[in-house]
Amino acid sequence: MNQQPLTMRAVEITAFGAPDVLRLIERPMPIAGAGELLIRVAASGINRPDVLQRKGHYAPPPGASDLPGLEVAGVIESGDAVAMAQARLQLGDRVCALVGGGGYAQWCVAPVAQCLPVPAGMTDVEAASLPETFFTVWSNVFDRGRLQPGETLLVQGGSSGIGVTAIQLARAWGATVIVTAGSDDKCNACLALGAHHAINYQTQDFVAEVQRITDGKGVDVILDMVAGSYVAREVQCLADDGRLVVIALQGGTHSEFNAGLLLRKRLTVTGSTLRPRSVAFKGAIARALRAQVWPWLASGAVRPVVHTTFVAADAAKAHALMESSQHIGKIVLTW
């Protein structure tokens, strides 16, 4: 390997606020510690938590980089040899990784346990679009939500990065997938990705549509990124023994719902945030993805959905697009 430089380019949050607070600056090179490796980053995924961090609403966990960015793809340049051997990785391998911060940079340190090999034939941009949404969907839909083949999943926001991932994984798993989206074009995009039904929430009542589609039975699992007033309506959508999994709060933190339905239908309402969880917890998800989902990526049964890319210097434009919700799938920075 070539000798590493002492500094690198990175995108910094110079103050909390609008997208233009993001600036390309020079930072010292990070150094990999025990159980970690150093990735020369080719591409960095953009996610809504990055926007929240930029606005001052989502601080990095203790010990994480203050730089935004939760997923990267690139080449292993150095690291803990024992940990890499245990993970069946080696220097020079192309990997993608979930990180607690620091992804908007030319080099990034990642726990070895949270790194996965780039599937054969996949570009760095495509690989960088995978970790955050794939870890999140697996943990919440399959682990917490316990989605089973033959059950029905409702995904709120089917055209988002999380949404396009949930559609494909649930479909590959053998579930029926219903999504909501904010336009007919987005609904059509979701259907093209494998959703069985798509509801335009701007023109249709998703509760009534779910009842119609399921012949009044309701859905088994809901993946919700809205919360707020949606929770009351989602409780109405759930089948007996249904599970509601909340992963974001775009509609607000306060919800009121009919608790009687909770009892009569034996419902489970749960939620989670992935970023503060332990390396061991995330490593277990990585192993499950490598065993179950990576073969789907290799076969083409599941594929990355990248809406567009921006060079790192245009990170502010990338965030503005993210906040406009005009994209379908993932937005990626390139270095």
Side-chain angles (χ1 to χ4, degrees), residues 3-269:
Q3 186 173 359
Q4 292 158 359
L6 298 177
T7 62
M8 64 176 182
R9 290 184 299 152
V11 175
E12 182 179 73
I13 300 170
T14 58
F16 297 137
D20 61 6
V21 303
L22 296 173
R23 300 285 171 79
L24 195 62
I25 48 90
E26 289 283 324
R27 276 286 186 99
M29 283 281 295
I31 299 171
E36 296 179 332
L37 52 75
L38 180 67
I39 299 169
R40 176 163 45 88
V41 177
S44 312
I46 304 273
N47 294 281
R48 286 202 180 269
D50 306 344
V51 173
L52 293 175
Q53 181 176 336
R54 193 201 74 224
K55 292 180 174 180
H57 302 320
Y58 194 36
S65 170
D66 66 301
L67 296 173
L70 302 178
E71 59 185 350
V72 297
V75 174
I76 301 174
E77 290 222 330
S78 63
D80 183 325
V82 173
M84 285 195 290
Q86 291 173 342
R88 293 173 286 154
L89 298 171
Q90 59 187 354
L91 297 181
D93 281 357
R94 295 174 64 227
V95 293
C96 56
L98 181 74
V99 294
Y104 290 12
Q106 288 182 293
W107 277 267
C108 180
V109 166
V112 173
Q114 294 171 206
C115 297
L116 288 159
V118 173
M122 193 169 290
T123 67
D124 291 321
V125 165
E126 290 172 327
S129 76
L130 300 176
E132 171 67 11
T133 58
F134 276 64
F135 275 72
T136 298
V137 169
W138 188 266
S139 179
N140 287 283
V141 173
F142 297 94
D143 287 344
R144 299 189 75 81
R146 308 185 308 281
L147 182 69
Q148 302 299 311
E151 290 190 327
T152 300
L153 170 70
L154 171 63
V155 180
Q156 300 285 21
S159 62
S160 66
I162 292 287
V164 299
T165 301
I167 289 168
Q168 295 187 82
L169 295 192
R171 176 82 187 226
W173 190 244
T176 298
V177 184
I178 305 172
V179 303
T180 64
S183 72
D184 289 343
D185 285 345
K186 288 183 176 181
C187 285
N188 289 333
C190 293
L191 293 171
L193 284 170
H196 296 83
H197 307 276
I199 302 165
N200 183 341
Y201 64 78
Q202 300 282 10
T203 59
Q204 297 171 291
D205 178 351
F206 75 78
V207 178
E209 284 299 297
V210 164
Q211 295 299 329
R212 181 186 65 79
I213 292 166
T214 63
D215 293 324
K217 175 181 179 292
V219 299
D220 300 289
V221 180
I222 299 175
L223 182 62
D224 177 23
M225 293 164 267
V226 183
S229 62
Y230 265 45
V231 174
R233 301 165 69 192
E234 288 164 339
V235 166
Q236 297 176 53
C237 290
L238 284 168
D240 289 349
D241 299 300
R243 289 86 72 193
L244 168 60
V245 187
V246 180
I247 61 168
L249 305 168
Q250 295 177 35
T253 58
H254 298 286
S255 306
E256 292 185 5
F257 59 88
N258 182 348
L261 291 177
L262 204 70
L263 304 182
R264 290 196 296 276
K265 295 194 201 180
R266 304 176 300 278
L267 304 180
T268 299
V269 179

